[in-house]
Amino acid sequence: MKFLIAIFSAILLFKTIECTCDQDLTVIVSFESLHKLSIWFFKNQFAPVYEELTKCVKWHFIPCSTTQIVDQVKNCDKDDLTQCNLDAMHACAAHIYEDHQYELGKFFICMMTDAEAYCNADQCAKNAGLEWEKIKKCKPSTDAAEYCLNRWNQLNILHVVHVPGVFFNWRYNQSVDEHIFKNFKTHVCERLQKMGKTCDACPPCSAPPSSTTPNGQNSP
């Protein structure tokens, strides 16, 4: 009997180690529509590497990142500002397509990098493989407000300082947050390497590409 218990315990231990080793890297991205730094991050850091990193990580998006945005969406109506409607739209898409993070990422890239995104939202959805009608039916003042609050609560647990933000496996790392604009891809690759994972998007011993900051200066 003791022998069987010992075998059973060993199997459980092995499975625990196996699951730990096989843990995926989830990259959480928080942002706001029409937010200057959020837009810059999507254009210059996120969009250029999204496809190649998707092969190695899982994504989770939090478009409602402050209480101000949450309160704004609660009071959103059809005659409100574009900011309010965009935030509501993003919250609805994030909720409805929770299980389609890859397509959702493509949708947000389109919405955050297109200057006419509010008018082209249906095309952004179509190009990403999402059904625009499902997003369109979501009511800003009720459905979107609830979804927005849920997303903000997820972010609040991480005690986030500002947006945009990038978090690995639901843990806030201030050093990553402070250097997000220097090279997003480098931080993701470094985390994958620490987890013992290989990724074709992260060749070893490669110098990180130069990048620019929102003010136009080269980053160090």
Side-chain angles (χ1 to χ4, degrees):
M1 183 66 178
K2 291 182 179 180
F3 179 73
L4 292 176
I5 293 176
I7 293 178
F8 181 73
S9 299
I11 292 174
L12 285 180
L13 179 61
F14 174 78
K15 286 295 183 182
T16 301
I17 296 174
E18 183 181 39
C19 290
T20 302
C21 294
D22 291 341
Q23 181 184 21
D24 292 318
L25 176 61
T26 298
V27 181
I28 297 94
V29 180
S30 66
F31 62 97
E32 294 176 7
S33 67
L34 302 186
H35 183 268
K36 182 179 179 181
L37 290 180
S38 292
I39 293 173
W40 185 93
F41 170 71
F42 266 81
K43 285 183 176 180
N44 296 279
Q45 293 289 327
F46 188 69
V49 299
Y50 180 71
E51 289 291 340
E52 57 179 337
L53 287 179
T54 293
K55 300 175 183 178
C56 306
V57 307
K58 293 183 178 180
W59 305 103
H60 185 83
F61 300 97
I62 303 181
C64 299
S65 49
T66 64
T67 52
Q68 179 183 359
I69 296 299
V70 173
D71 292 338
Q72 178 179 275
V73 171
K74 286 181 180 178
N75 300 309
C76 191
D77 58 52
K78 62 181 180 180
D79 297 320
D80 212 331
L81 300 174
T82 301
Q83 168 85 39
C84 178
N85 287 300
L86 277 172
D87 287 325
M89 189 185 302
H90 289 177
C92 290
H95 175 81
I96 295 170
Y97 289 104
E98 173 71 30
D99 296 327
H100 296 80
Q101 293 293 323
Y102 169 68
E103 291 80 2
L104 193 59
K106 293 177 65 177
F107 174 70
F108 285 139
I109 287 174
C110 181
M111 294 293 289
M112 294 296 290
T113 59
D114 184 352
E116 301 295 329
Y118 184 69
C119 298
N120 299 331
D122 57 338
Q123 191 60 46
C124 283
K126 180 180 180 181
N127 292 344
L130 307 180
E131 294 183 41
W132 167 242
E133 287 302 318
K134 289 185 178 181
I135 302 174
K136 184 179 179 181
K137 290 179 180 178
C138 184
K139 298 178 181 179
S141 60
T142 55
D143 299 335
E146 178 185 350
Y147 304 152
C148 200
L149 178 61
N150 291 339
R151 293 282 155 167
W152 181 82
N153 284 336
Q154 293 177 355
L155 195 66
N156 191 39
I157 294 175
L158 297 172
H159 305 291
V160 177
V161 178
H162 58 77
V163 293
V166 172
F167 319 96
F168 298 139
N169 288 342
W170 296 102
R171 293 183 179 179
Y172 174 60
N173 186 312
Q174 186 174 356
S175 63
V176 172
D177 193 50
E178 291 176 348
H179 296 87
I180 185 176
F181 297 109
K182 291 185 178 180
N183 200 300
F184 169 68
K185 179 180 176 180
T186 293
H187 285 296
V188 175
C189 288
E190 287 178 351
R191 181 52 60 95
L192 285 168
Q193 290 167 0
K194 288 180 180 179
M195 295 175 68
K197 292 184 175 294
T198 58
C199 179
D200 291 340
C202 308
C205 304
S206 60
S210 61
S211 59
T212 56
T213 55
N215 60 14
Q217 299 178 349
N218 290 329
S219 62

mmCIF file with all atom_site columns, all heavy atoms in Angstrom, residues 59-83:
data_model
loop_
_atom_site.group_PDB
_atom_site.id
_atom_site.type_symbol
_atom_site.label_atom_id
_atom_site.label_alt_id
_atom_site.label_comp_id
_atom_site.label_asym_id
_atom_site.label_entity_id
_atom_site.label_seq_id
_atom_site.pdbx_PDB_ins_code
_atom_site.Cartn_x
_atom_site.Cartn_y
_atom_site.Cartn_z
_atom_site.occupancy
_atom_site.B_iso_or_equiv
_atom_site.pdbx_formal_charge
_atom_site.auth_seq_id
_atom_site.auth_comp_id
_atom_site.auth_asym_id
_atom_site.auth_atom_id
_atom_site.pdbx_PDB_model_num
ATOM 1   N N   . TRP A 1 59 ? -1.938  36.070 -25.737 1.00 0.00 ? 59 TRP A N   1
ATOM 2   C CA  . TRP A 1 59 ? -2.233  37.481 -25.503 1.00 0.00 ? 59 TRP A CA  1
ATOM 3   C C   . TRP A 1 59 ? -3.477  37.659 -24.639 1.00 0.00 ? 59 TRP A C   1
ATOM 4   O O   . TRP A 1 59 ? -4.387  36.837 -24.666 1.00 0.00 ? 59 TRP A O   1
ATOM 5   C CB  . TRP A 1 59 ? -2.454  38.210 -26.833 1.00 0.00 ? 59 TRP A CB  1
ATOM 6   C CG  . TRP A 1 59 ? -1.348  38.090 -27.815 1.00 0.00 ? 59 TRP A CG  1
ATOM 7   C CD1 . TRP A 1 59 ? -1.316  37.294 -28.929 1.00 0.00 ? 59 TRP A CD1 1
ATOM 8   C CD2 . TRP A 1 59 ? -0.091  38.778 -27.797 1.00 0.00 ? 59 TRP A CD2 1
ATOM 9   N NE1 . TRP A 1 59 ? -0.125  37.450 -29.596 1.00 0.00 ? 59 TRP A NE1 1
ATOM 10  C CE2 . TRP A 1 59 ? 0.645   38.352 -28.924 1.00 0.00 ? 59 TRP A CE2 1
ATOM 11  C CE3 . TRP A 1 59 ? 0.484   39.719 -26.931 1.00 0.00 ? 59 TRP A CE3 1
ATOM 12  C CZ2 . TRP A 1 59 ? 1.912   38.836 -29.213 1.00 0.00 ? 59 TRP A CZ2 1
ATOM 13  C CZ3 . TRP A 1 59 ? 1.750   40.202 -27.217 1.00 0.00 ? 59 TRP A CZ3 1
ATOM 14  C CH2 . TRP A 1 59 ? 2.456   39.758 -28.349 1.00 0.00 ? 59 TRP A CH2 1
ATOM 15  N N   . HIS A 1 60 ? -3.504  38.765 -23.912 1.00 0.00 ? 60 HIS A N   1
ATOM 16  C CA  . HIS A 1 60 ? -4.716  39.176 -23.191 1.00 0.00 ? 60 HIS A CA  1
ATOM 17  C C   . HIS A 1 60 ? -4.748  40.704 -23.209 1.00 0.00 ? 60 HIS A C   1
ATOM 18  O O   . HIS A 1 60 ? -3.752  41.356 -22.860 1.00 0.00 ? 60 HIS A O   1
ATOM 19  C CB  . HIS A 1 60 ? -4.708  38.676 -21.751 1.00 0.00 ? 60 HIS A CB  1
ATOM 20  C CG  . HIS A 1 60 ? -5.984  38.973 -21.025 1.00 0.00 ? 60 HIS A CG  1
ATOM 21  N ND1 . HIS A 1 60 ? -7.104  38.172 -21.133 1.00 0.00 ? 60 HIS A ND1 1
ATOM 22  C CD2 . HIS A 1 60 ? -6.335  40.003 -20.198 1.00 0.00 ? 60 HIS A CD2 1
ATOM 23  C CE1 . HIS A 1 60 ? -8.081  38.674 -20.399 1.00 0.00 ? 60 HIS A CE1 1
ATOM 24  N NE2 . HIS A 1 60 ? -7.633  39.792 -19.817 1.00 0.00 ? 60 HIS A NE2 1
ATOM 25  N N   . PHE A 1 61 ? -5.885  41.267 -23.623 1.00 0.00 ? 61 PHE A N   1
ATOM 26  C CA  . PHE A 1 61 ? -5.982  42.713 -23.814 1.00 0.00 ? 61 PHE A CA  1
ATOM 27  C C   . PHE A 1 61 ? -6.921  43.363 -22.802 1.00 0.00 ? 61 PHE A C   1
ATOM 28  O O   . PHE A 1 61 ? -8.010  42.865 -22.535 1.00 0.00 ? 61 PHE A O   1
ATOM 29  C CB  . PHE A 1 61 ? -6.445  43.019 -25.235 1.00 0.00 ? 61 PHE A CB  1
ATOM 30  C CG  . PHE A 1 61 ? -5.509  42.489 -26.288 1.00 0.00 ? 61 PHE A CG  1
ATOM 31  C CD1 . PHE A 1 61 ? -5.765  41.272 -26.920 1.00 0.00 ? 61 PHE A CD1 1
ATOM 32  C CD2 . PHE A 1 61 ? -4.355  43.178 -26.625 1.00 0.00 ? 61 PHE A CD2 1
ATOM 33  C CE1 . PHE A 1 61 ? -4.890  40.759 -27.876 1.00 0.00 ? 61 PHE A CE1 1
ATOM 34  C CE2 . PHE A 1 61 ? -3.480  42.676 -27.573 1.00 0.00 ? 61 PHE A CE2 1
ATOM 35  C CZ  . PHE A 1 61 ? -3.740  41.466 -28.206 1.00 0.00 ? 61 PHE A CZ  1
ATOM 36  N N   . ILE A 1 62 ? -6.473  44.490 -22.263 1.00 0.00 ? 62 ILE A N   1
ATOM 37  C CA  . ILE A 1 62 ? -7.275  45.258 -21.318 1.00 0.00 ? 62 ILE A CA  1
ATOM 38  C C   . ILE A 1 62 ? -7.410  46.682 -21.853 1.00 0.00 ? 62 ILE A C   1
ATOM 39  O O   . ILE A 1 62 ? -6.543  47.537 -21.620 1.00 0.00 ? 62 ILE A O   1
ATOM 40  C CB  . ILE A 1 62 ? -6.639  45.273 -19.920 1.00 0.00 ? 62 ILE A CB  1
ATOM 41  C CG1 . ILE A 1 62 ? -6.439  43.841 -19.418 1.00 0.00 ? 62 ILE A CG1 1
ATOM 42  C CG2 . ILE A 1 62 ? -7.506  46.064 -18.942 1.00 0.00 ? 62 ILE A CG2 1
ATOM 43  C CD1 . ILE A 1 62 ? -5.833  43.743 -18.034 1.00 0.00 ? 62 ILE A CD1 1
ATOM 44  N N   . PRO A 1 63 ? -8.490  46.971 -22.597 1.00 0.00 ? 63 PRO A N   1
ATOM 45  C CA  . PRO A 1 63 ? -8.654  48.299 -23.193 1.00 0.00 ? 63 PRO A CA  1
ATOM 46  C C   . PRO A 1 63 ? -9.180  49.362 -22.232 1.00 0.00 ? 63 PRO A C   1
ATOM 47  O O   . PRO A 1 63 ? -9.099  50.548 -22.540 1.00 0.00 ? 63 PRO A O   1
ATOM 48  C CB  . PRO A 1 63 ? -9.653  48.033 -24.323 1.00 0.00 ? 63 PRO A CB  1
ATOM 49  C CG  . PRO A 1 63 ? -10.456 46.877 -23.847 1.00 0.00 ? 63 PRO A CG  1
ATOM 50  C CD  . PRO A 1 63 ? -9.503  46.021 -23.068 1.00 0.00 ? 63 PRO A CD  1
ATOM 51  N N   . CYS A 1 64 ? -9.724  48.965 -21.107 1.00 0.00 ? 64 CYS A N   1
ATOM 52  C CA  . CYS A 1 64 ? -10.219 49.934 -20.116 1.00 0.00 ? 64 CYS A CA  1
ATOM 53  C C   . CYS A 1 64 ? -9.241  49.958 -18.959 1.00 0.00 ? 64 CYS A C   1
ATOM 54  O O   . CYS A 1 64 ? -9.241  49.063 -18.127 1.00 0.00 ? 64 CYS A O   1
ATOM 55  C CB  . CYS A 1 64 ? -11.608 49.551 -19.641 1.00 0.00 ? 64 CYS A CB  1
ATOM 56  S SG  . CYS A 1 64 ? -12.834 49.532 -20.954 1.00 0.00 ? 64 CYS A SG  1
ATOM 57  N N   . SER A 1 65 ? -8.404  50.982 -18.896 1.00 0.00 ? 65 SER A N   1
ATOM 58  C CA  . SER A 1 65 ? -7.272  50.913 -17.993 1.00 0.00 ? 65 SER A CA  1
ATOM 59  C C   . SER A 1 65 ? -7.270  51.932 -16.856 1.00 0.00 ? 65 SER A C   1
ATOM 60  O O   . SER A 1 65 ? -6.324  51.960 -16.072 1.00 0.00 ? 65 SER A O   1
ATOM 61  C CB  . SER A 1 65 ? -5.972  51.057 -18.792 1.00 0.00 ? 65 SER A CB  1
ATOM 62  O OG  . SER A 1 65 ? -6.046  52.167 -19.657 1.00 0.00 ? 65 SER A OG  1
ATOM 63  N N   . THR A 1 66 ? -8.286  52.772 -16.741 1.00 0.00 ? 66 THR A N   1
ATOM 64  C CA  . THR A 1 66 ? -8.372  53.705 -15.621 1.00 0.00 ? 66 THR A CA  1
ATOM 65  C C   . THR A 1 66 ? -9.827  53.855 -15.201 1.00 0.00 ? 66 THR A C   1
ATOM 66  O O   . THR A 1 66 ? -10.749 53.583 -15.969 1.00 0.00 ? 66 THR A O   1
ATOM 67  C CB  . THR A 1 66 ? -7.838  55.109 -15.994 1.00 0.00 ? 66 THR A CB  1
ATOM 68  O OG1 . THR A 1 66 ? -8.663  55.679 -17.012 1.00 0.00 ? 66 THR A OG1 1
ATOM 69  C CG2 . THR A 1 66 ? -6.396  55.041 -16.468 1.00 0.00 ? 66 THR A CG2 1
ATOM 70  N N   . THR A 1 67 ? -10.017 54.308 -13.980 1.00 0.00 ? 67 THR A N   1
ATOM 71  C CA  . THR A 1 67 ? -11.387 54.526 -13.499 1.00 0.00 ? 67 THR A CA  1
ATOM 72  C C   . THR A 1 67 ? -12.071 55.614 -14.308 1.00 0.00 ? 67 THR A C   1
ATOM 73  O O   . THR A 1 67 ? -13.286 55.608 -14.471 1.00 0.00 ? 67 THR A O   1
ATOM 74  C CB  . THR A 1 67 ? -11.381 54.931 -12.015 1.00 0.00 ? 67 THR A CB  1
ATOM 75  O OG1 . THR A 1 67 ? -10.479 56.027 -11.819 1.00 0.00 ? 67 THR A OG1 1
ATOM 76  C CG2 . THR A 1 67 ? -10.948 53.778 -11.144 1.00 0.00 ? 67 THR A CG2 1
ATOM 77  N N   . GLN A 1 68 ? -11.282 56.547 -14.820 1.00 0.00 ? 68 GLN A N   1
ATOM 78  C CA  . GLN A 1 68 ? -11.853 57.620 -15.638 1.00 0.00 ? 68 GLN A CA  1
ATOM 79  C C   . GLN A 1 68 ? -12.514 57.047 -16.886 1.00 0.00 ? 68 GLN A C   1
ATOM 80  O O   . GLN A 1 68 ? -13.613 57.459 -17.267 1.00 0.00 ? 68 GLN A O   1
ATOM 81  C CB  . GLN A 1 68 ? -10.764 58.619 -16.033 1.00 0.00 ? 68 GLN A CB  1
ATOM 82  C CG  . GLN A 1 68 ? -11.276 59.754 -16.921 1.00 0.00 ? 68 GLN A CG  1
ATOM 83  C CD  . GLN A 1 68 ? -10.163 60.694 -17.355 1.00 0.00 ? 68 GLN A CD  1
ATOM 84  O OE1 . GLN A 1 68 ? -9.002  60.513 -16.982 1.00 0.00 ? 68 GLN A OE1 1
ATOM 85  N NE2 . GLN A 1 68 ? -10.502 61.690 -18.132 1.00 0.00 ? 68 GLN A NE2 1
ATOM 86  N N   . ILE A 1 69 ? -11.835 56.097 -17.521 1.00 0.00 ? 69 ILE A N   1
ATOM 87  C CA  . ILE A 1 69 ? -12.380 55.470 -18.720 1.00 0.00 ? 69 ILE A CA  1
ATOM 88  C C   . ILE A 1 69 ? -13.628 54.664 -18.376 1.00 0.00 ? 69 ILE A C   1
ATOM 89  O O   . ILE A 1 69 ? -14.634 54.690 -19.086 1.00 0.00 ? 69 ILE A O   1
ATOM 90  C CB  . ILE A 1 69 ? -11.328 54.566 -19.393 1.00 0.00 ? 69 ILE A CB  1
ATOM 91  C CG1 . ILE A 1 69 ? -10.145 55.409 -19.886 1.00 0.00 ? 69 ILE A CG1 1
ATOM 92  C CG2 . ILE A 1 69 ? -11.939 53.797 -20.554 1.00 0.00 ? 69 ILE A CG2 1
ATOM 93  C CD1 . ILE A 1 69 ? -10.501 56.452 -20.911 1.00 0.00 ? 69 ILE A CD1 1
ATOM 94  N N   . VAL A 1 70 ? -13.574 53.953 -17.250 1.00 0.00 ? 70 VAL A N   1
ATOM 95  C CA  . VAL A 1 70 ? -14.726 53.161 -16.825 1.00 0.00 ? 70 VAL A CA  1
ATOM 96  C C   . VAL A 1 70 ? -15.938 54.055 -16.589 1.00 0.00 ? 70 VAL A C   1
ATOM 97  O O   . VAL A 1 70 ? -17.044 53.782 -17.059 1.00 0.00 ? 70 VAL A O   1
ATOM 98  C CB  . VAL A 1 70 ? -14.397 52.370 -15.538 1.00 0.00 ? 70 VAL A CB  1
ATOM 99  C CG1 . VAL A 1 70 ? -15.653 51.682 -15.013 1.00 0.00 ? 70 VAL A CG1 1
ATOM 100 C CG2 . VAL A 1 70 ? -13.331 51.327 -15.811 1.00 0.00 ? 70 VAL A CG2 1
ATOM 101 N N   . ASP A 1 71 ? -15.737 55.145 -15.860 1.00 0.00 ? 71 ASP A N   1
ATOM 102 C CA  . ASP A 1 71 ? -16.843 56.077 -15.583 1.00 0.00 ? 71 ASP A CA  1
ATOM 103 C C   . ASP A 1 71 ? -17.353 56.728 -16.855 1.00 0.00 ? 71 ASP A C   1
ATOM 104 O O   . ASP A 1 71 ? -18.546 56.968 -17.017 1.00 0.00 ? 71 ASP A O   1
ATOM 105 C CB  . ASP A 1 71 ? -16.379 57.154 -14.596 1.00 0.00 ? 71 ASP A CB  1
ATOM 106 C CG  . ASP A 1 71 ? -16.113 56.605 -13.209 1.00 0.00 ? 71 ASP A CG  1
ATOM 107 O OD1 . ASP A 1 71 ? -16.673 55.529 -12.895 1.00 0.00 ? 71 ASP A OD1 1
ATOM 108 O OD2 . ASP A 1 71 ? -15.354 57.220 -12.454 1.00 0.00 ? 71 ASP A OD2 1
ATOM 109 N N   . GLN A 1 72 ? -16.437 56.992 -17.764 1.00 0.00 ? 72 GLN A N   1
ATOM 110 C CA  . GLN A 1 72 ? -16.813 57.617 -19.025 1.00 0.00 ? 72 GLN A CA  1
ATOM 111 C C   . GLN A 1 72 ? -17.730 56.705 -19.833 1.00 0.00 ? 72 GLN A C   1
ATOM 112 O O   . GLN A 1 72 ? -18.738 57.145 -20.384 1.00 0.00 ? 72 GLN A O   1
ATOM 113 C CB  . GLN A 1 72 ? -15.549 57.937 -19.830 1.00 0.00 ? 72 GLN A CB  1
ATOM 114 C CG  . GLN A 1 72 ? -15.792 58.550 -21.202 1.00 0.00 ? 72 GLN A CG  1
ATOM 115 C CD  . GLN A 1 72 ? -14.493 58.862 -21.912 1.00 0.00 ? 72 GLN A CD  1
ATOM 116 O OE1 . GLN A 1 72 ? -13.901 59.900 -21.707 1.00 0.00 ? 72 GLN A OE1 1
ATOM 117 N NE2 . GLN A 1 72 ? -14.037 57.944 -22.754 1.00 0.00 ? 72 GLN A NE2 1
ATOM 118 N N   . VAL A 1 73 ? -17.374 55.422 -19.886 1.00 0.00 ? 73 VAL A N   1
ATOM 119 C CA  . VAL A 1 73 ? -18.172 54.459 -20.641 1.00 0.00 ? 73 VAL A CA  1
ATOM 120 C C   . VAL A 1 73 ? -19.541 54.270 -19.993 1.00 0.00 ? 73 VAL A C   1
ATOM 121 O O   . VAL A 1 73 ? -20.554 54.094 -20.681 1.00 0.00 ? 73 VAL A O   1
ATOM 122 C CB  . VAL A 1 73 ? -17.428 53.114 -20.759 1.00 0.00 ? 73 VAL A CB  1
ATOM 123 C CG1 . VAL A 1 73 ? -18.331 52.039 -21.342 1.00 0.00 ? 73 VAL A CG1 1
ATOM 124 C CG2 . VAL A 1 73 ? -16.184 53.268 -21.632 1.00 0.00 ? 73 VAL A CG2 1
ATOM 125 N N   . LYS A 1 74 ? -19.600 54.342 -18.669 1.00 0.00 ? 74 LYS A N   1
ATOM 126 C CA  . LYS A 1 74 ? -20.882 54.203 -17.978 1.00 0.00 ? 74 LYS A CA  1
ATOM 127 C C   . LYS A 1 74 ? -21.872 55.276 -18.423 1.00 0.00 ? 74 LYS A C   1
ATOM 128 O O   . LYS A 1 74 ? -23.083 55.047 -18.475 1.00 0.00 ? 74 LYS A O   1
ATOM 129 C CB  . LYS A 1 74 ? -20.677 54.300 -16.462 1.00 0.00 ? 74 LYS A CB  1
ATOM 130 C CG  . LYS A 1 74 ? -20.047 53.077 -15.826 1.00 0.00 ? 74 LYS A CG  1
ATOM 131 C CD  . LYS A 1 74 ? -19.914 53.277 -14.329 1.00 0.00 ? 74 LYS A CD  1
ATOM 132 C CE  . LYS A 1 74 ? -19.281 52.060 -13.665 1.00 0.00 ? 74 LYS A CE  1
ATOM 133 N NZ  . LYS A 1 74 ? -19.111 52.273 -12.204 1.00 0.00 ? 74 LYS A NZ  1
ATOM 134 N N   . ASN A 1 75 ? -21.353 56.457 -18.730 1.00 0.00 ? 75 ASN A N   1
ATOM 135 C CA  . ASN A 1 75 ? -22.209 57.585 -19.114 1.00 0.00 ? 75 ASN A CA  1
ATOM 136 C C   . ASN A 1 75 ? -22.215 57.826 -20.615 1.00 0.00 ? 75 ASN A C   1
ATOM 137 O O   . ASN A 1 75 ? -22.626 58.885 -21.083 1.00 0.00 ? 75 ASN A O   1
ATOM 138 C CB  . ASN A 1 75 ? -21.740 58.851 -18.388 1.00 0.00 ? 75 ASN A CB  1
ATOM 139 C CG  . ASN A 1 75 ? -21.803 58.702 -16.889 1.00 0.00 ? 75 ASN A CG  1
ATOM 140 O OD1 . ASN A 1 75 ? -22.825 58.304 -16.352 1.00 0.00 ? 75 ASN A OD1 1
ATOM 141 N ND2 . ASN A 1 75 ? -20.711 59.014 -16.208 1.00 0.00 ? 75 ASN A ND2 1
ATOM 142 N N   . CYS A 1 76 ? -21.748 56.838 -21.353 1.00 0.00 ? 76 CYS A N   1
ATOM 143 C CA  . CYS A 1 76 ? -21.633 56.991 -22.804 1.00 0.00 ? 76 CYS A CA  1
ATOM 144 C C   . CYS A 1 76 ? -23.005 56.882 -23.470 1.00 0.00 ? 76 CYS A C   1
ATOM 145 O O   . CYS A 1 76 ? -23.829 56.054 -23.115 1.00 0.00 ? 76 CYS A O   1
ATOM 146 C CB  . CYS A 1 76 ? -20.713 55.905 -23.347 1.00 0.00 ? 76 CYS A CB  1
ATOM 147 S SG  . CYS A 1 76 ? -20.216 56.117 -25.058 1.00 0.00 ? 76 CYS A SG  1
ATOM 148 N N   . ASP A 1 77 ? -23.253 57.722 -24.447 1.00 0.00 ? 77 ASP A N   1
ATOM 149 C CA  . ASP A 1 77 ? -24.467 57.620 -25.253 1.00 0.00 ? 77 ASP A CA  1
ATOM 150 C C   . ASP A 1 77 ? -24.110 57.919 -26.698 1.00 0.00 ? 77 ASP A C   1
ATOM 151 O O   . ASP A 1 77 ? -22.984 58.292 -27.017 1.00 0.00 ? 77 ASP A O   1
ATOM 152 C CB  . ASP A 1 77 ? -25.570 58.552 -24.747 1.00 0.00 ? 77 ASP A CB  1
ATOM 153 C CG  . ASP A 1 77 ? -25.137 60.012 -24.737 1.00 0.00 ? 77 ASP A CG  1
ATOM 154 O OD1 . ASP A 1 77 ? -24.652 60.495 -25.773 1.00 0.00 ? 77 ASP A OD1 1
ATOM 155 O OD2 . ASP A 1 77 ? -25.285 60.674 -23.689 1.00 0.00 ? 77 ASP A OD2 1
ATOM 156 N N   . LYS A 1 78 ? -25.082 57.795 -27.557 1.00 0.00 ? 78 LYS A N   1
ATOM 157 C CA  . LYS A 1 78 ? -24.798 57.909 -28.997 1.00 0.00 ? 78 LYS A CA  1
ATOM 158 C C   . LYS A 1 78 ? -24.351 59.303 -29.413 1.00 0.00 ? 78 LYS A C   1
ATOM 159 O O   . LYS A 1 78 ? -23.781 59.494 -30.487 1.00 0.00 ? 78 LYS A O   1
ATOM 160 C CB  . LYS A 1 78 ? -26.042 57.502 -29.796 1.00 0.00 ? 78 LYS A CB  1
ATOM 161 C CG  . LYS A 1 78 ? -27.251 58.392 -29.550 1.00 0.00 ? 78 LYS A CG  1
ATOM 162 C CD  . LYS A 1 78 ? -28.434 57.897 -30.348 1.00 0.00 ? 78 LYS A CD  1
ATOM 163 C CE  . LYS A 1 78 ? -29.671 58.777 -30.130 1.00 0.00 ? 78 LYS A CE  1
ATOM 164 N NZ  . LYS A 1 78 ? -30.830 58.290 -30.905 1.00 0.00 ? 78 LYS A NZ  1
ATOM 165 N N   . ASP A 1 79 ? -24.609 60.290 -28.577 1.00 0.00 ? 79 ASP A N   1
ATOM 166 C CA  . ASP A 1 79 ? -24.213 61.652 -28.912 1.00 0.00 ? 79 ASP A CA  1
ATOM 167 C C   . ASP A 1 79 ? -22.922 62.066 -28.220 1.00 0.00 ? 79 ASP A C   1
ATOM 168 O O   . ASP A 1 79 ? -22.511 63.220 -28.284 1.00 0.00 ? 79 ASP A O   1
ATOM 169 C CB  . ASP A 1 79 ? -25.330 62.630 -28.509 1.00 0.00 ? 79 ASP A CB  1
ATOM 170 C CG  . ASP A 1 79 ? -26.612 62.364 -29.286 1.00 0.00 ? 79 ASP A CG  1
ATOM 171 O OD1 . ASP A 1 79 ? -26.510 62.072 -30.493 1.00 0.00 ? 79 ASP A OD1 1
ATOM 172 O OD2 . ASP A 1 79 ? -27.688 62.440 -28.680 1.00 0.00 ? 79 ASP A OD2 1
ATOM 173 N N   . ASP A 1 80 ? -22.291 61.105 -27.525 1.00 0.00 ? 80 ASP A N   1
ATOM 174 C CA  . ASP A 1 80 ? -21.083 61.425 -26.774 1.00 0.00 ? 80 ASP A CA  1
ATOM 175 C C   . ASP A 1 80 ? -19.864 61.519 -27.695 1.00 0.00 ? 80 ASP A C   1
ATOM 176 O O   . ASP A 1 80 ? -19.949 61.300 -28.903 1.00 0.00 ? 80 ASP A O   1
ATOM 177 C CB  . ASP A 1 80 ? -20.843 60.362 -25.699 1.00 0.00 ? 80 ASP A CB  1
ATOM 178 C CG  . ASP A 1 80 ? -20.168 60.955 -24.470 1.00 0.00 ? 80 ASP A CG  1
ATOM 179 O OD1 . ASP A 1 80 ? -19.438 61.935 -24.631 1.00 0.00 ? 80 ASP A OD1 1
ATOM 180 O OD2 . ASP A 1 80 ? -20.394 60.429 -23.369 1.00 0.00 ? 80 ASP A OD2 1
ATOM 181 N N   . LEU A 1 81 ? -18.730 61.830 -27.093 1.00 0.00 ? 81 LEU A N   1
ATOM 182 C CA  . LEU A 1 81 ? -17.506 62.000 -27.859 1.00 0.00 ? 81 LEU A CA  1
ATOM 183 C C   . LEU A 1 81 ? -17.015 60.685 -28.445 1.00 0.00 ? 81 LEU A C   1
ATOM 184 O O   . LEU A 1 81 ? -17.339 59.610 -27.958 1.00 0.00 ? 81 LEU A O   1
ATOM 185 C CB  . LEU A 1 81 ? -16.420 62.600 -26.963 1.00 0.00 ? 81 LEU A CB  1
ATOM 186 C CG  . LEU A 1 81 ? -16.723 63.978 -26.342 1.00 0.00 ? 81 LEU A CG  1
ATOM 187 C CD1 . LEU A 1 81 ? -15.605 64.356 -25.373 1.00 0.00 ? 81 LEU A CD1 1
ATOM 188 C CD2 . LEU A 1 81 ? -16.879 65.024 -27.412 1.00 0.00 ? 81 LEU A CD2 1
ATOM 189 N N   . THR A 1 82 ? -16.212 60.775 -29.475 1.00 0.00 ? 82 THR A N   1
ATOM 190 C CA  . THR A 1 82 ? -15.644 59.597 -30.120 1.00 0.00 ? 82 THR A CA  1
ATOM 191 C C   . THR A 1 82 ? -14.843 58.762 -29.133 1.00 0.00 ? 82 THR A C   1
ATOM 192 O O   . THR A 1 82 ? -14.867 57.536 -29.182 1.00 0.00 ? 82 THR A O   1
ATOM 193 C CB  . THR A 1 82 ? -14.741 60.016 -31.301 1.00 0.00 ? 82 THR A CB  1
ATOM 194 O OG1 . THR A 1 82 ? -15.509 60.757 -32.235 1.00 0.00 ? 82 THR A OG1 1
ATOM 195 C CG2 . THR A 1 82 ? -14.166 58.796 -31.994 1.00 0.00 ? 82 THR A CG2 1
ATOM 196 N N   . GLN A 1 83 ? -14.121 59.410 -28.228 1.00 0.00 ? 83 GLN A N   1
ATOM 197 C CA  . GLN A 1 83 ? -13.319 58.705 -27.227 1.00 0.00 ? 83 GLN A CA  1
ATOM 198 C C   . GLN A 1 83 ? -14.172 57.708 -26.467 1.00 0.00 ? 83 GLN A C   1
ATOM 199 O O   . GLN A 1 83 ? -13.802 56.547 -26.288 1.00 0.00 ? 83 GLN A O   1
ATOM 200 C CB  . GLN A 1 83 ? -12.720 59.726 -26.241 1.00 0.00 ? 83 GLN A CB  1
ATOM 201 C CG  . GLN A 1 83 ? -12.102 59.117 -24.997 1.00 0.00 ? 83 GLN A CG  1
ATOM 202 C CD  . GLN A 1 83 ? -10.670 58.682 -25.202 1.00 0.00 ? 83 GLN A CD  1
ATOM 203 O OE1 . GLN A 1 83 ? -9.910  59.373 -25.873 1.00 0.00 ? 83 GLN A OE1 1
ATOM 204 N NE2 . GLN A 1 83 ? -10.291 57.561 -24.634 1.00 0.00 ? 83 GLN A NE2 1
#
